[in-house]
Amino acid sequence: MICALGSAVCFGTASVLQAVAARATAPGTGSGVDPALLLRAVRQWRYVAGLALDGLGFLLQIVALRSLPIYAVGAALAASLAVTAVVAARLLGVRLSGTEWGAVGVVSAGLAMLGLASGAEGDETGSTTLRYVMLGVAVAVLLLGALAGRLPDRGRALALGLGAGCGFGVVEVTVRLIDDVSPGALIANPAAYALLVGGGAAFLLLTSALQRGSVTAATAGMVIGETIGPALVGVVWLGDRTREGLGWLALLGFGVAVAGALALARFGEAPEGERAPAGEASEAGR
């Protein structure tokens, strides 16, 4: 759980840095998801710093997923929005109201319930079919994300955020499906390809969502995508369970943590003063 919370701290801090960098990056010429956006974004030092934190968070996430049920880790990652709120308040001058500080407390309470109720990770290794299904989902996320990028602004951010969340959810599940990390085993394991495609698609879609449209909608969609689906896969197919007689507490804690995170979704957005106009974007990256 310490690793899961450490991962949330890394991801939550990274989202503030990446939101600022994405908004300062010159938009592409098309209306859809722009694959070259990541190349432009890495010219922003904030985006690079965010990627470094994402890398550290991913390593901590792997450790957590090897010891905890997916639903517990997913709720902890959703709580990264509470971290985002606190970091945005301190570093970007965003003011939290009493209600929003209350939401941070709600997230913490939900995670405490999960910590008390969570059992060990399931001992199921997952079938070959599940591995191919995860690869199919990862490819579908990438293709549907390209279509979502052409939606009107109102639906675009939510669809891209949901797609990014599903991509991150694929990563959560496939970490459990990779039990042998030798080169030969990785090449033959469809879950390894699902992890790469799902993770890459998630970063691309989330960066596109952060650049244009409502960041509130994007982060809310991401939370939904990366928590509910993976949690169900863990319980139904990988044997994740709770402590004896505490299933109700785990369910309550999961719901409370995710609800609190959704209430804080707007803190993925950079303040207006931090957004560089499109014409200044090339200078902002230097």
Side-chain angles (χ1 to χ4, degrees):
M1 182 59 78
I2 291 175
C3 288
L5 294 176
S7 180
V9 170
C10 291
F11 291 148
T13 304
S15 68
V16 177
L17 298 174
Q18 289 168 339
V20 175
R23 288 301 178 94
T25 301
T29 56
S31 59
V33 174
D34 181 8
L37 174 61
L38 290 177
L39 297 179
R40 297 195 300 275
V42 295
R43 297 177 60 189
Q44 307 283 332
W45 71 265
R46 294 181 183 88
Y47 195 86
V48 175
L51 286 179
L53 286 172
D54 281 332
L56 177 58
F58 179 63
L59 294 177
L60 294 173
Q61 179 185 5
I62 290 176
V63 175
L65 286 167
R66 292 294 183 178
S67 303
L68 289 174
I70 293 177
Y71 65 79
V73 178
L77 296 182
S80 65
L81 287 176
V83 177
T84 297
V86 174
V87 172
R90 292 188 62 87
L91 298 185
L92 302 179
V94 178
R95 296 180 63 86
L96 278 73
S97 67
T99 300
E100 288 152 352
W101 278 116
V104 173
V106 166
V107 170
S108 301
L111 291 175
M113 294 180 205
L114 272 175
L116 291 173
S118 297
E121 66 165 341
D123 56 5
E124 301 291 335
T125 58
S127 64
T128 300
T129 299
L130 181 59
R131 289 171 167 80
Y132 278 106
V133 167
M134 287 298 102
L135 178 57
V137 170
V139 173
V141 166
L142 189 60
L143 296 178
L144 293 176
L147 296 176
R150 301 184 180 278
L151 293 173
D153 286 345
R154 175 170 293 184
R156 180 178 185 276
L158 179 60
L160 288 176
L162 185 60
C166 291
F168 288 130
V170 168
V171 172
E172 292 176 33
V173 174
T174 52
V175 165
R176 288 275 296 276
L177 298 178
I178 299 174
D179 51 4
D180 187 345
V181 294
S182 62
L186 287 177
I187 291 175
N189 191 344
Y193 301 101
L195 188 151
L196 294 176
V197 175
F203 271 111
L204 175 60
L205 298 188
L206 182 59
T207 302
S208 298
L210 290 175
Q211 186 189 43
R212 293 182 293 178
S214 169
V215 182
T216 298
T219 49
M222 181 185 68
V223 168
I224 294 171
E226 72 178 351
T227 53
I228 298 176
L232 290 175
V233 172
V235 171
V236 176
W237 285 286
L238 299 179
D240 288 346
R241 294 294 181 266
T242 63
R243 295 181 188 273
E244 187 67 27
L246 292 180
W248 65 271
L249 184 61
L251 185 60
L252 178 61
F254 180 86
V256 167
V258 173
L262 290 173
L264 291 165
R266 75 182 186 87
F267 287 97
E269 188 160 10
E272 291 294 334
E274 293 288 337
R275 301 175 190 168
E280 300 173 8
S282 60
E283 294 298 326
R286 299 177 181 176

